Amino acid sequence: MIVPAPITANAPLPVRAQEGIGLLELLDVVLDHRWLIAAVTLLGLLVGVAYALLAAPVYLASTMVQVEESKGGAGTLLGEAASLFDIRSPASAEMQILRSRLVIGQTVQNLNLDIEVRPRYLPVFGPWLARHASAPSKPGFLMFPGYVSGSESLRVDRFEVPEALEGESFRVRLTEGGYELLSPDDDVLGAQQVGQPLAFSARGGQGLLLVSAAEGKPGAEFELTRHVRLEIIEQLQKNLVIAEEGKQSGVIRASLEGRDPRELTRVLNEIGTLYVRQNIERKVAEADKSLGFLSSFLPELRKQLEAAETRFSQFRNRNSSFDLDAEGKLILDQAVKLQAGVIELQQKRRELRALYTAEHHSVRAIDARIVDLQGELDGLNKRIRKLPDVEQELLALTRDVKVNGELYVKLLDNAQQLRLVKEGKVANVRIVDPAATPRKPAKPLRALSVLLATTLGLLTGLAWAFARNSLHPGLKEPGEVEQRTGLHVFATVPHSDAQTKLTRDAGKSAARRPLLATAKPQDAAVESLRSFRTALQFTMLDSVSNIILISGPTPGIGKSFVSANVAAVLGAANKKVLLIDADLRKGRLNHAIGVNRKDGLSDVICGNLQLDKALHREIAPNVDFLSTGVLPPNSAELLTKPSVQVLLQQASRHYDWVVVDTPPVLAASDTAILAPMAGAVFLVARAEQSTQGELSEAAKRLLGAGATVNGVIFNDLDTTRRRYGGAIDGSYRYVDYRY
């Protein structure tokens, strides 16, 4: 054993350098709170298992749509200018149409998605039991009728309620002959057979219910709700996930999650069917509108063509042998091309003006193109005016015939194509992959859920442990006392289960009770006090007094336990020891020893009793005990009497050691009065209860009274919760006794 060097009252207190939190300290926290962490982790595991078993499975279904880029009739009409005015519907626009109320609203209406039917399942476990059932269950749960846990089902084709009752829950109860409908107020609204409509009246409005099929035993109940259709549409729009597969691929995937795989398939396929149908109807409507315009314009164009041909024939009759030269033919070809382009653009502009304003970019582009062609045509007209009159007339007539003829043929051909589009009903979108009924749920992933819940429980337990550790103000190990206060730790007293038992048995008998040092001399706590005894002998070498004062900052830290057992281990070394209970406020050493309180210290101080008459002899080998006596109302004033010092001097002469147990320093001034009379002063600190501030303030108060704290006894350390080594820093003038 290494023995510390003597410490004088004026010796500076060593203070360890502050160290950062290391892995070993973190491990200490984990070990200290291992049961808390294990409990929270186990709770997370149980929650994860419960979720994996009880959570309703969620399925994922999807459908794939291809959007084909196609040119409409404008391309045929405009020829070279078609690329300027081609109106296309890209995938991004089709995605919005797919999600629109035009499609989703019709789906909700066709499939009655605004009508919700739910079996009235047993609480908590009902849905889980129903998923594993193959037949209807017997209705009822304890004292509550109508609850089910089997394969009950109800099909409702029509359910109309007054607007004020939309969103409220009705109930359908199966009977021997059919069913009966109950209102949200539990009033029976009527009864009917399955397959027959039931008209009812509720809250001043009329309603209608048509149940087409039912599976379940009489007494089984279903919750029936007619939701606001717009809310269901918006909810379905929100749940429908639409994304383009790849970059600009034109392939759209629509996905939907839900608990009923068959219902998911029905909904997605209905959405796809309605989406393709509206696309066809839109194309047919566009073709029909363009066809109507052409049907009204073609007769007029036919008349213009016939008139131009008549004028041309008359000219040829008058000038039978005249023909255009090479320059005239070139000018004619250019003029025909430009004139036809202008006319086509003007017709296209009329179509666009029916849809857009004059400021629309398509209309403005056509206007700019018309201006360009008209400018070129004006240039040709100037060249034509330089030709002879007869040649000018022939060129104009020929141009009119060719322009009207070519335009008429083009429009007639386009009209035939539009008729084919209208009759053929061909869309530019198609369903590539119809929705298929999923067989395996997408959620929850049971193994992953259990793993995540367990991990979350472990992390929560660790966070809780570190939070408790950081918020707990108590000193957790002897090293913290030395680092934070500079006071030497002379002994570390581990927690003793044997002392706990002795304390528990203290009230069972009025006879004298043994101390831990005599009842269990091999206990680790007693062994630590023997080490303190050895260190104490060297500490007191230079002391003029053999009086040892033991106190603490606050009550309930075990100073009386330490005082009594220090006296016992000193007596076990064949030294005569006097143990004095100087806590004249709440001293209870007599109770722990099993002797009477009266005829004690207060009586000796007042002169009512001699010291030798007040002593309780041999409470432990070589140990006598002086109890408090009658507790006085003014203990501080009593302790200032000269007779106190006379008493302590007398005891010091007759005993090898005098151990004085005093009140807590911060709770009373008694210790500050007695401390200057002692040869050594020790403070007791309790693990995880005493704080740095309490120890520092107690030492400060005693120093102000003229006494120096020689060291600290670190009490009640739970060694099962921490790792302890025996490393000793040789630069310190003490030994760190750790167990």
Side-chain angles (χ1 to χ4, degrees):
M1 180 178 62
I2 299 176
V3 179
I7 301 175
T8 63
N10 296 324
L13 295 175
V15 180
R16 287 184 184 175
Q18 293 287 342
E19 300 177 358
I21 297 178
L23 291 177
L24 294 180
E25 295 184 19
L26 296 179
L27 182 59
D28 279 340
V29 177
V30 174
L31 293 176
D32 288 348
H33 298 85
R34 59 185 180 275
W35 296 115
L36 170 65
I37 296 172
V40 177
T41 304
L42 179 60
L43 178 61
L45 173 62
L46 294 178
V47 171
V49 172
Y51 173 77
L53 293 178
L54 300 179
V58 177
Y59 296 87
L60 175 66
S62 63
T63 184
M64 190 176 293
V65 179
Q66 181 185 11
V67 180
E68 299 175 342
E69 295 186 356
S70 61
K71 298 181 180 180
T76 306
L77 285 173
L78 302 183
E80 296 178 356
S83 59
L84 295 174
F85 319 113
D86 184 23
I87 302 176
R88 302 181 182 182
S89 183
S92 57
E94 293 298 331
M95 290 164 62
Q96 298 304 318
I97 296 174
L98 187 59
R99 197 194 298 272
S100 66
R101 284 200 298 268
L102 174 67
V103 177
I104 302 300
Q106 191 64 41
T107 301
V108 171
Q109 180 178 347
N110 293 351
L111 301 181
N112 292 325
L113 299 182
D114 51 348
I115 301 175
E116 182 182 5
V117 182
R118 301 182 305 275
R120 200 177 184 198
Y121 288 127
L122 294 176
V124 183
F125 297 101
W128 182 82
L129 294 173
R131 289 196 298 272
H132 296 80
S134 58
S137 61
K138 182 179 179 180
F141 174 67
L142 298 179
M143 301 297 293
F144 304 97
Y147 287 98
V148 297
S149 59
S151 60
E152 289 78 9
S153 64
L154 188 75
R155 179 177 175 181
V156 177
D157 289 343
R158 188 176 179 186
F159 184 47
E160 299 177 0
V161 299
E163 186 175 349
L165 290 175
E166 288 184 344
E168 296 199 27
S169 181
F170 291 74
R171 280 189 296 146
V172 174
R173 179 186 300 148
L174 300 185
T175 62
E176 292 288 350
Y179 66 91
E180 58 183 6
L181 178 65
L182 286 76
S183 71
D185 303 322
D186 289 338
D187 298 327
V188 178
L189 300 179
Q192 186 58 275
Q193 296 179 351
V194 175
Q196 299 295 324
L198 170 64
F200 61 90
S201 176
R203 296 187 186 177
Q206 299 299 315
L208 182 66
L209 172 63
L210 176 58
V211 176
S212 58
E215 180 184 4
K217 296 181 179 180
E221 294 186 359
F222 300 83
E223 295 180 357
L224 181 60
T225 307
R226 172 61 184 267
H227 294 284
V228 179
R229 179 167 296 175
L230 180 59
E231 294 179 356
I232 300 300
I233 293 173
E234 292 175 349
Q235 186 64 39
L236 183 55
Q237 288 176 324
K238 180 179 178 182
N239 295 339
L240 187 63
V241 179
I242 304 175
E244 187 173 5
E245 294 287 299
K247 187 176 181 181
Q248 297 181 351
S249 63
V251 178
I252 301 172
R253 179 179 295 275
S255 305
L256 190 62
E257 289 185 349
R259 297 182 178 178
D260 188 342
R262 294 184 180 85
E263 183 72 11
L264 287 177
T265 305
R266 290 178 59 232
V267 171
L268 280 176
N269 286 332
E270 183 69 14
I271 290 175
T273 300
L274 292 175
Y275 168 67
V276 173
R277 183 185 301 170
Q278 66 81 30
N279 185 272
I280 293 174
E281 292 174 351
R282 182 177 58 182
K283 294 299 181 183
V284 169
E286 292 176 357
D288 188 61
K289 186 174 181 179
S290 298
L291 188 58
F293 169 77
L294 292 178
S295 297
S296 62
F297 182 66
L298 280 173
E300 179 181 350
L301 187 59
R302 176 66 180 175
K303 292 179 181 179
Q304 294 178 2
L305 176 60
E306 291 176 351
E309 290 176 344
T310 300
R311 290 194 299 273
F312 181 75
S313 298
Q314 292 175 353
F315 175 82
R316 294 301 297 264
N317 291 334
R318 293 195 306 270
N319 304 280
S320 57
S321 60
F322 188 80
D323 198 1
L324 291 174
D325 58 11
E327 182 182 3
K329 291 180 180 180
L330 178 61
I331 294 175
L332 175 62
D333 292 339
Q334 294 177 353
V336 168
K337 184 177 180 180
L338 292 175
Q339 185 69 32
V342 171
I343 295 175
E344 290 174 358
L345 288 173
Q346 289 174 344
Q347 300 303 326
K348 181 59 182 176
R349 188 180 187 280
R350 293 191 187 97
E351 294 180 14
L352 292 179
R353 285 291 286 120
L355 302 174
Y356 310 111
T357 64
E359 298 300 322
H360 192 270
H361 63 88
S362 298
V363 178
R364 296 180 64 179
I366 288 180
D367 290 341
R369 184 61 177 165
I370 290 175
V371 170
D372 293 341
L373 294 181
Q374 193 65 51
E376 295 180 18
L377 190 58
D378 291 341
L380 284 178
N381 289 333
K382 290 180 181 179
R383 292 176 60 187
I384 291 173
R385 284 193 289 271
K386 295 180 180 179
L387 299 175
D389 294 340
V390 175
E391 193 169 352
Q392 290 185 33
E393 185 178 358
L394 177 60
L395 193 148
L397 292 174
T398 305
R399 180 183 63 184
D400 291 342
V401 171
K402 285 190 175 184
V403 169
N404 291 332
E406 291 180 4
L407 185 59
Y408 181 77
V409 171
K410 287 182 179 180
L411 292 180
L412 189 61
D413 181 63
N414 191 59
Q416 295 297 331
Q417 294 181 12
L418 289 175
R419 290 189 182 96
L420 290 175
V421 172
K422 181 179 178 181
E423 298 300 328
K425 299 182 179 179
V426 178
N428 69 324
V429 297
R430 65 189 180 106
I431 304 296
V432 178
D433 288 335
T437 303
R439 302 186 63 181
K440 294 183 178 180
K443 303 177 189 176
L445 302 176
R446 303 188 188 279
L448 182 60
S449 299
V450 173
L451 178 61
L452 289 178
T454 305
T455 304
L456 182 60
L458 175 62
L459 295 178
T460 303
L462 289 172
W464 193 350
F466 285 112
R468 288 187 60 184
N469 182 73
S470 62
L471 296 176
H472 199 289
L475 296 166
K476 298 173 180 61
E477 60 179 22
E480 295 183 17
V481 177
E482 296 158 358
Q483 292 174 5
R484 300 180 183 181
T485 66
L487 297 172
H488 299 312
V489 176
F490 269 68
T492 298
V493 182
H495 176 78
S496 173
D497 293 331
Q499 176 61 33
T500 303
K501 186 176 184 303
L502 288 174
T503 303
R504 185 171 58 249
D505 297 339
K508 297 181 180 180
S509 174
R512 184 172 293 186
R513 305 179 187 96
L515 298 173
L516 179 65
T518 57
K520 299 288 183 180
Q522 301 304 319
D523 192 89
V526 178
E527 188 64 30
S528 68
L529 292 178
R530 291 194 186 101
S531 301
F532 172 71
R533 177 186 65 190
T534 304
L536 180 64
Q537 291 173 351
F538 287 91
T539 301
M540 301 291 287
L541 288 177
D542 298 330
S543 178
V544 296
S545 173
N546 62 350
I547 300 174
I548 305 169
L549 186 144
I550 297 178
S551 185
T554 57
I557 58 176
K559 63 177 182 58
S560 297
F561 160 77
V562 172
S563 300
N565 285 278
V566 165
V569 297
L570 289 173
N574 293 321
K575 302 291 184 180
K576 288 190 63 178
V577 182
L578 175 62
L579 174 63
I580 300 176
D581 188 355
D583 188 352
L584 299 181
R585 296 175 184 266
K586 295 182 178 180
R588 292 180 56 83
L589 261 177
N590 62 291
H591 180 73
I593 297 171
V595 299
N596 202 329
R597 180 191 297 276
K598 68 177 183 177
D599 297 335
L601 178 62
S602 61
D603 301 286
V604 175
I605 294 174
C606 294
N608 299 330
L609 193 66
Q610 295 297 321
L611 176 60
D612 57 345
K613 300 293 183 182
L615 294 176
H616 297 275
R617 305 287 182 176
E618 294 293 323
I619 63 167
N622 299 319
V623 179
D624 295 340
F625 173 61
L626 179 62
S627 66
T628 60
V630 178
L631 298 180
N634 53 348
S635 61
E637 287 76 9
L638 185 64
L639 292 175
T640 57
K641 290 186 175 184
S643 57
V644 175
Q645 190 169 4
V646 174
L647 170 63
L648 292 177
Q649 291 174 353
Q650 181 184 357
S652 180
R653 289 193 301 269
H654 288 84
Y655 290 90
D656 296 318
W657 296 100
V658 178
V659 179
V660 183
D661 179 28
T662 62
V665 177
L666 301 181
S669 60
D670 300 16
T671 303
I673 298 172
L674 296 174
M677 306 177 193
V681 177
F682 294 94
L683 292 177
V684 177
R686 188 167 186 171
E688 300 192 11
Q689 180 171 329
S690 301
T691 65
Q692 169 194 347
E694 292 171 351
L695 279 176
S696 299
E697 181 61 24
K700 181 180 178 182
R701 291 192 184 184
L702 292 178
L703 184 63
T708 301
V709 177
N710 294 74
V712 174
I713 301 172
F714 199 69
N715 185 36
D716 199 29
L717 181 66
D718 188 354
T719 57
T720 64
R721 298 173 55 187
R722 292 178 176 270
R723 303 162 294 98
Y724 290 96
I728 301 174
D729 190 337
S731 62
Y732 292 158
R733 296 161 59 89
Y734 72 96
V735 61
D736 188 3
Y737 299 94
R738 301 185 183 184
Y739 293 84

